[in-house]
Amino acid sequence: MLRAEPPARRKGLLAIVAAGLLVVGLAVTGAQVASAGTSPLAASALAPTAGCGKAPGLNSGNHTIQSGGKSRSFTLRLPDTYDNNYPHRLAFGFHWLGGTAGQVATGGTDGQPWAYYGMLSQSNNTTIFVAPQGINNGWANSGGEDVTFTDDMIRLIDNALCVDTTQRFSVGFSYGGAMSYSLACSRPNVFRAVAAIAAPGPISGCSGGTGPVAYMGIHGVNDGIQNGRALRDRFVRNNGCTAQNAPEPAPGSRTHIITNYSGCRAGYPVVWAPFDGGHQQGPVDGCAGCESGARSWVKQEVWKFFTQFASTSSPGPSSPGPSSSGPTPSSPAGGPCRVSAAINPWNTGLTENLTITNTGSAPINGWSLAFTLPGGQSITSGWGATYSPASGQVTARNVSYNATLAPNAPVVIGFQANHTGNTATPTAFTLNGAACTVD
C-alpha cells in the first residue's frame, strides 16, 4: 500500500517539526462511534463547468502544465463510463513526504483497493480523480505556489471535462494531509470538503483560514495527536460547531472512534476520527500497528463523509480565476432515497421496474442511480433512463423528462435483460453517490 515516509524523509519532516512546525500522524482500529450530533444537510447547487457537453479535452494519465513559472505534473483518472453531459465530482489525493503522484494513483502495493486513498474503489464511476506531484516530493507551498498549482489544475480540468464545481474534495496523508488542510484554509469556496490523515501541523501554510469548510480529521493517538486536534479545532470554530473534548480510543484498544460534532452550520460538519495507532494512512481495526489500505476502515469513512454532499440544481459553470477562490457552495444535501424493484423473469430473460423515491425535503435536479447487477445478467434495453455499462456495476442516468426527482414523488424506470439462471434483483443502490434504502 502507500507507505509512510521512509526514515530519511521522516527525519526531514521531524526536523521541520523541531523548527516549530509540528508533526502528526494517522493510525487505526475498531468500530466505535461517538456521535455528538450531525448537522443537517441542505441542498447544494449543481454547477457544471465549461467542459460539459464537449469531447473530453484531457484523458486519463500523466499531464504536465506550467504553473508559477515551473513545470508541474499530475496524474488524472477519468471514470470508465465518463459522460461529457454528467457533472462529475472532482477529488484530489495529495501524497506524503517522499511519496509520488504515481503511488497515490496506483495504490502502491495494495493496488486498486487503495488507489487515490481508496476513493477509486468506492466511487462507482461517479468521480474524476487527480493525484498532483509535489516539488521535491513534498508540499512546502512556498509563496503559495502549491495552492496556485491547484488553482491551475482546476482551471484546466474545468475547461476540458464535465465537473460539478460544488463537488470538489481533497484528501491526503501526512504532508498531503497538511496540503489538504492548507486548501481548506485558502480555498474554502472552491473545496466542498477535505480530509486530513495524520497531518503534521500546518506545514503547508494556512492562508486565510477563517471560512467554513466541511472537515474530517483522522489521526493516531500515538502520533502527536495534539497537532491533529489543533487543525480540527480551527474548523470547529469556523463552522460554528460546539466545542468539546471528543473521545479518543485508549492505547492498546485497537479501535477507532468517530465523532460528529454538534451545532455546526448546516452543511459544514466536522468529523473527528482518532484511532489507536501511530503515523499510518491505512490502519486496520483489531490489529496493532497493521497498515493495509485494502482492509482499512479509512476509505469507507472518507467516502461516506464526501458523498453526503449531493448537488440538486443547475445554475451554471464557475471555476477559480487567476486570483479567485472560486464559487461559493450552498449547503449540501445527503440525497436520501428509497428504491423498490419488481422483476418479471422467464427462461433466459427478464424485465425489471425500479421505483425511485426522493425521501429528502428538496428536489433533486439531475440524478444517476448506480447499482450492482447480479452475475449472469446483461441489460439489452431500457426505459426512463440511459444505462451504462450493460452488466456489473451499472449507472442509470435520468433522461430529459424525468430529470427532477420531487420529494416523495416516485419515478419508475426499467430495463430488459438476459440472464443465465440468476434472476435476483440488483443490490447496492446509490443515488448521486448516496446509499438508498431498498424496499
Side-chain angles (χ1 to χ4, degrees):
M1 67 167 293
L2 303 178
R3 304 302 304 169
E5 291 88 343
R9 294 285 185 178
R10 190 82 186 272
K11 278 173 117 179
L13 185 58
L14 292 172
I16 294 173
V17 176
L21 298 173
L22 303 174
V23 177
V24 184
L26 130 67
V28 58
T29 49
Q32 300 181 22
V33 175
S35 177
T38 305
S39 40
L41 300 175
S44 178
L46 182 150
T49 59
C52 293
K54 303 190 305 189
L58 291 170
N59 296 318
S60 295
N62 299 324
H63 298 273
T64 301
I65 62 173
Q66 293 298 308
S67 178
K70 297 180 180 180
S71 181
R72 304 295 302 267
S73 64
F74 63 93
T75 302
L76 183 70
R77 173 64 185 258
L78 274 64
D80 296 333
T81 55
Y82 174 77
D83 181 344
N84 63 2
N85 290 309
Y86 171 73
H88 297 74
R89 291 187 192 90
L90 180 63
F92 286 77
F94 287 88
H95 63 74
W96 54 100
L97 179 64
T100 66
Q103 288 173 301
V104 172
T106 62
T109 56
D110 272 341
Q112 287 293 94
W114 193 237
Y116 296 94
Y117 293 103
M119 292 188 294
L120 180 63
S121 65
Q122 304 291 302
S123 67
N124 194 29
N125 282 314
T126 60
T127 305
I128 297 167
F129 293 104
V130 186
Q133 178 60 48
I135 295 172
N136 297 322
N137 299 93
W139 303 104
N141 194 29
S142 301
E145 63 181 346
D146 291 325
V147 172
T148 298
F149 174 40
T150 304
D151 288 343
D152 291 339
M153 286 186 287
I154 289 175
R155 191 176 303 107
L156 177 69
I157 293 167
D158 282 359
N159 286 326
L161 300 171
C162 193
V163 175
D164 178 355
T165 65
T166 70
Q167 295 284 287
R168 298 192 188 107
F169 304 94
S170 179
V171 62
F173 165 63
S174 195
Y175 218 155
M179 185 61 201
S180 291
Y181 173 81
S182 180
L183 291 170
C185 291
S186 61
R187 295 294 182 263
N189 298 326
V190 173
F191 284 88
R192 189 65 194 81
V194 305
I197 306 172
I203 61 174
S204 298
C206 179
S207 176
T210 59
V213 176
Y215 184 84
M216 181 177 195
I218 302 173
H219 216 101
V221 298
N222 301 320
D223 190 30
I225 194 167
Q226 70 276 4
N227 303 321
R229 294 181 196 131
L231 302 185
R232 171 204 69 195
D233 288 346
R234 174 180 292 273
F235 291 99
V236 169
R237 294 189 299 271
N238 290 0
N239 297 4
C241 308
T242 303
Q244 65 161 302
N245 292 319
E248 296 169 356
S253 62
R254 302 181 184 180
T255 189
H256 70 279
I257 298 175
I258 304 291
T259 295
N260 296 281
Y261 273 71
S262 63
C264 304
R265 286 179 52 181
Y268 294 96
V270 171
V271 172
W272 178 235
F275 59 89
D276 174 28
H279 199 65
Q280 300 166 253
Q281 56 182 296
V284 179
D285 285 342
C287 187
C290 292
E291 177 101 8
S292 171
R295 294 187 290 140
S296 179
W297 50 270
V298 168
K299 58 181 179 290
Q300 289 94 345
E301 291 294 344
V302 169
W303 195 244
K304 175 183 175 183
F305 183 65
F306 287 167
T307 55
Q308 67 184 301
F309 308 109
S311 295
T312 59
S313 61
S314 175
S318 180
S319 61
S323 302
S324 169
S325 62
T328 303
S330 55
S331 299
C337 51
R338 184 174 67 248
V339 176
S340 61
I343 193 167
N344 178 33
W346 59 91
N347 53 352
T348 60
L350 59 86
T351 58
E352 185 161 351
N353 283 328
L354 301 175
T355 302
I356 311 166
T357 303
N358 170 14
T359 57
S361 59
I364 298 175
N365 297 320
W367 54 268
S368 63
L369 180 74
F371 54 86
T372 300
L373 205 64
Q377 293 186 17
S378 179
I379 295 174
T380 57
S381 62
W383 51 93
T386 61
Y387 298 83
S388 178
S391 60
Q393 289 187 319
V394 178
T395 298
R397 294 189 174 92
N398 68 265
V399 291
S400 59
Y401 64 80
N402 64 5
T404 298
L405 296 179
N408 299 310
V411 170
V412 179
I413 65 173
F415 58 84
Q416 182 169 324
N418 295 327
H419 68 83
T420 58
N422 186 350
T423 59
T425 57
T427 58
F429 289 97
T430 62
L431 185 66
N432 289 354
C436 300
T437 58
V438 180
D439 289 343

